[in-house]
Amino acid sequence: MNNFLSKRPLTMHQLYGDHVVFTSRPSFEKNPWLTTEEHQANMLTARELLIADMPVIIHEAAVGEKPRELMRAAGVDFPSHYRTFKDAESYNARLREAEKNGEKIFFQYAHSSEFVDPSTYYIDKELFVALNNKMKLSDWTKGKFLPKREVVAVDELEETLKKWNYPYVIKPGDEHPTAGGYGVMICYNDEDRKQALNRIKEAETDSDFVIEDYINTKQNYCVQYAYSENTGLNYIGASIQNTNEYGKYFGNITAHNVPQTVIEAGREIMQNGVDAGYKGIAGFDLLVDDKGEVYAIDLNFRQNGSTSMLIMDELLAGDYEKFFGAYAKVSNDAFYERILDEVKAGRLFPLAYYDGDFYEDEHVPSRFVGIWHGEQQDVDAHDKAFAEFNQ
């Protein structure tokens, strides 16, 4: 069963080297812009396990017998390079242990210095925060590929918005991480603006905000790259992102015919980050409008939701791949058995399973992320059938 993983064209270990630990979990500290539910955040700690080949900090509910059985059904050995936690205290303990051992940590999301010393960051913390700060987008694009935008202080935001025509986008410009479209506020009308301003008021922040023109989008790509001194700068691939009208992320499919203008725009942005000192994987949300112009709306200098899918693209059967995530609306047992059947059928590849039955004193729905693969008509049919089953 090891044969599958041996064929991976790239692993995080190849990029980050020895004595580096990875954590994809947001800090347990309060973040007004990243509202990921606790169990969802715990489950996602295992999402990159199969492409890591390096120590990964993972929640205990994602490493039990059920996740292992799913991997066996897919013909993959469950990796052994992980360190577990079960709550905020044990999670923070894993960070401190890595620091004490002299290891570096590649954080998916920045953590405050009360949890780990900034010197423990694999990427210089100030650089990492700056690279992922939406207010500094123009720094990393060198002023290119940008919609009309304006940076304003929070106490001037309401008055400034009155000068903008709908639709437009509001983004926080502070150092708190965002993901999945959370924290991005698209306004089509006065009611949307009112809700956005109320949310900003509730955040009790004194940071600046970014206002951007809304792009009439023909295609929404996440283009991804990897860089290390040993491998150089390489294009990993791209996915087409599925979002609703308010920018919330609902998954993606592998893109096989990406315009060269999009690939080169992303490569240029990646090179700018590398020149500043970045090493690792990055994914950029690049839009193509109805006139064929390319716009950069978000830069993620870290692993992305579709990174695993892109790296394993050539290893999965079929020409069509679709990222899949769900939580149990039926019983946990029925949810698991249905997923197991789909994996055994060879059309659903598991990335992470979070066993809700790990919690004996409360009901927690189980969660899963994986990759549908095969022919598009078949994949879409089974994806729809699963949604109908899981109601």
Side-chain angles (χ1 to χ4, degrees):
M1 285 197 290
N2 287 319
N3 192 40
F4 180 92
L5 294 183
S6 69
K7 295 179 181 178
R8 293 167 298 183
L10 178 71
T11 67
M12 292 162 60
H13 177 261
Q14 290 171 353
L15 297 172
Y16 306 132
D18 298 330
H19 312 299
V20 181
V21 180
F22 174 65
T23 175
S24 63
R25 200 195 191 288
S27 169
F28 279 87
E29 62 194 300
K30 181 181 178 181
N31 178 352
W33 311 121
L34 189 57
T35 56
T36 304
E37 193 268 345
E38 179 177 352
H39 294 294
Q40 182 74 0
N42 290 339
M43 181 273 290
L44 290 175
T45 58
R47 187 181 62 187
E48 280 80 35
L49 184 61
L50 291 183
I51 63 167
D53 202 25
M54 61 184 282
V56 181
I57 300 177
I58 296 178
H59 194 276
E60 290 181 14
V63 299
E65 179 53 32
K66 289 177 183 176
R68 294 170 185 275
E69 185 177 15
L70 289 174
M71 292 294 179
R72 287 195 295 269
V76 180
D77 281 337
F78 197 89
S80 59
H81 43 265
Y82 61 82
R83 303 171 187 181
T84 60
F85 73 97
K86 64 179 179 180
D87 52 24
E89 181 179 1
S90 56
Y91 174 75
N92 293 329
R94 299 293 87 77
L95 302 182
R96 290 190 294 270
E97 288 167 2
E99 179 182 348
K100 184 178 179 180
N101 292 337
E103 296 171 309
K104 296 293 185 180
I105 303 176
F106 190 105
F107 286 96
Q108 184 82 345
Y109 303 104
H111 290 42
S112 69
S113 57
E114 69 178 283
F115 300 109
V116 64
D117 189 88
S119 65
T120 308
Y121 278 64
Y122 177 77
I123 301 297
D124 177 82
K125 183 178 180 180
E126 288 189 10
L127 173 63
F128 180 70
V129 170
L131 285 166
N132 292 289
N133 188 329
K134 298 184 190 317
M135 190 171 67
K136 297 182 180 295
L137 200 69
S138 60
D139 292 356
W140 311 118
T141 65
K142 303 298 185 185
K144 300 174 65 175
F145 317 116
L146 296 179
K148 174 189 172 184
R149 66 197 321 254
E150 183 177 357
V151 177
V152 299
V154 65
D155 57 0
E156 300 174 0
L157 182 61
E158 186 169 0
E159 284 301 312
T160 303
L161 289 175
K162 293 178 182 179
K163 304 174 185 177
W164 280 69
N165 296 321
Y166 297 120
Y168 53 72
V169 184
I170 307 172
K171 301 176 181 179
D174 60 21
E175 296 183 352
H176 288 293
T178 64
Y182 294 98
V184 175
M185 293 157 275
I186 300 177
C187 299
Y188 295 95
N189 49 50
D190 290 348
E191 181 59 29
D192 290 340
R193 180 178 66 183
K194 179 181 177 181
Q195 291 182 10
L197 290 172
N198 286 339
R199 184 178 180 192
I200 291 167
K201 183 178 179 180
E202 291 171 359
E204 299 179 343
T205 178
D206 59 359
S207 70
D208 293 341
F209 282 80
V210 178
I211 311 170
E212 285 183 350
D213 260 347
Y214 177 82
I215 303 301
N216 186 10
T217 304
K218 182 178 180 182
Q219 198 60 271
N220 182 344
Y221 293 101
C222 178
V223 291
Q224 298 191 35
Y225 305 83
Y227 172 80
S228 74
E229 294 172 353
N230 291 331
T231 63
L233 197 163
N234 292 291
Y235 170 65
I236 296 176
S239 62
I240 297 172
Q241 302 197 108
N242 176 22
T243 62
N244 68 10
E245 69 270 31
Y246 287 98
K248 299 302 181 290
Y249 170 78
F250 291 108
N252 42 29
I253 61 173
T254 303
H256 293 293
N257 297 296
V258 184
Q260 195 62 30
T261 53
V262 172
I263 296 173
E264 292 307 316
R267 188 186 304 276
E268 186 173 333
I269 295 169
M270 182 66 174
Q271 187 64 59
N272 293 337
V274 169
D275 290 344
Y278 184 74
K279 293 183 288 186
I281 293 171
F284 312 131
D285 294 349
L286 302 183
L287 306 183
V288 178
D289 71 2
D290 51 359
K291 298 177 181 178
E293 296 295 324
V294 179
Y295 292 93
I297 61 165
D298 198 14
L299 308 181
N300 296 304
F301 282 89
R302 55 182 180 239
Q303 283 64 224
N304 295 261
S306 57
T307 301
S308 294
M309 181 172 73
L310 295 179
I311 287 178
M312 294 190 289
D313 178 19
E314 298 299 325
L315 304 183
L316 300 176
D319 298 324
Y320 184 76
E321 290 146 22
K322 186 175 186 178
F323 187 84
F324 174 67
Y327 69 90
K329 299 177 182 178
V330 295
S331 72
N332 284 344
D333 286 343
F335 180 76
Y336 174 74
E337 290 301 327
R338 179 60 177 261
I339 290 172
L340 181 60
D341 288 344
E342 299 288 0
V343 173
K344 288 180 176 178
R347 53 178 166 257
L348 182 59
F349 186 83
L351 295 176
Y353 184 85
Y354 184 79
D355 189 1
D357 294 337
F358 172 85
Y359 299 90
E360 298 178 351
D361 299 328
E362 60 178 313
H363 173 67
V364 173
S366 294
R367 296 169 183 267
F368 173 81
V369 290
I371 306 167
W372 291 109
H373 59 100
E375 301 304 316
Q376 181 173 354
Q377 186 175 359
D378 185 61
V379 165
D380 289 344
H382 284 93
D383 187 36
K384 180 180 178 181
F386 190 99
E388 293 172 349
F389 155 78
N390 187 41
Q391 292 183 351

